[in-house]
Amino acid sequence: DWTHQGIAKLYHKIHENGYKFLYCSARAIGMADITRGYLHWVNDRGTVLPRGPLLLAPSSLISALHREVIEKKPELFKIHCLNDIRNLFNPHRSPFYAAFGNRTNDAYAYKEVNVQESRIFIVNPKGELIQEQTKSNKSSYSRLGELVEHVFP
């Protein structure tokens, strides 16, 4: 189990405050069933992840692996995909309030689509949540969950 403790409860609290979730991954579209299954499987004592669209790269598994392993640029899909979503909305307002990821490439992609650095969170392999704006400040999903009313009003 590589689910980070507190993620389902945090996302649930954010969702209860009226925010909608969008799950975006550079994984190939052929991984849709596995990825969707994982998102539905995450359960923290009855609290599950909020429902939301799952956007995956419309490429083959080989192409997605090449982009991530050989080119080392999985963020290119996310930037393109999230820009397409952003362009559907008012150009003077970002539809993205916050973003969570697990790699520095994710933080780069989120900055490229104008998510405020103070609301970009990257989780490291130890399960520590790092706010992009204050990289030295490590927290957790559970701790951020205690601050939901302030961070996600």
Side-chain angles (χ1 to χ4, degrees):
D1 176 18
W2 38 274
T3 302
H4 296 288
Q5 185 175 1
I7 190 171
K9 288 185 178 178
L10 170 64
Y11 285 16
H12 180 75
K13 287 178 181 179
I14 294 169
H15 179 72
E16 283 184 326
N17 280 0
Y19 293 91
K20 306 294 181 206
F21 279 73
L22 168 73
Y23 300 96
C24 183
S25 173
R27 290 179 178 184
I29 193 77
M31 304 270 307
D33 288 340
I34 293 167
T35 306
R36 194 177 301 108
Y38 172 74
L39 292 172
H40 292 276
W41 171 82
V42 174
N43 186 322
D44 185 358
R45 296 184 182 136
T47 303
V48 296
L49 295 175
R51 296 225 182 259
L54 171 61
L55 305 176
L56 299 172
S59 56
S60 70
L61 181 58
I62 300 299
S63 295
L65 279 171
H66 183 269
R67 184 175 47 248
E68 187 159 347
V69 177
I70 306 297
E71 294 176 358
K72 299 193 184 309
K73 295 190 180 275
E75 71 278 7
L76 295 179
F77 165 72
K78 285 187 178 184
I79 293 168
H80 180 76
C81 181
L82 295 173
N83 267 325
D84 284 349
I85 302 272
R86 186 181 66 179
N87 290 337
L88 296 171
F89 294 86
N90 180 333
H92 304 291
R93 295 189 62 192
S94 174
F96 309 120
Y97 184 79
F100 292 84
N102 61 0
R103 294 184 167 182
T104 55
N105 303 52
D106 293 333
Y108 176 77
Y110 302 148
K111 285 187 253 185
E112 286 293 304
V113 297
N114 297 325
V115 176
Q116 288 184 20
E117 281 191 55
S118 63
R119 294 194 296 252
I120 296 174
F121 301 92
I122 302 299
V123 65
N124 67 22
K126 296 178 187 175
E128 298 167 323
L129 204 57
I130 301 162
Q131 183 186 38
E132 185 63 16
Q133 189 174 34
T134 59
K135 292 182 178 151
S136 60
N137 186 14
K138 295 177 182 171
S139 187
S140 67
Y141 285 110
S142 299
R143 176 71 182 126
L144 187 56
E146 295 169 8
L147 303 171
V148 159
E149 297 305 320
H150 301 287
V151 182
F152 299 93

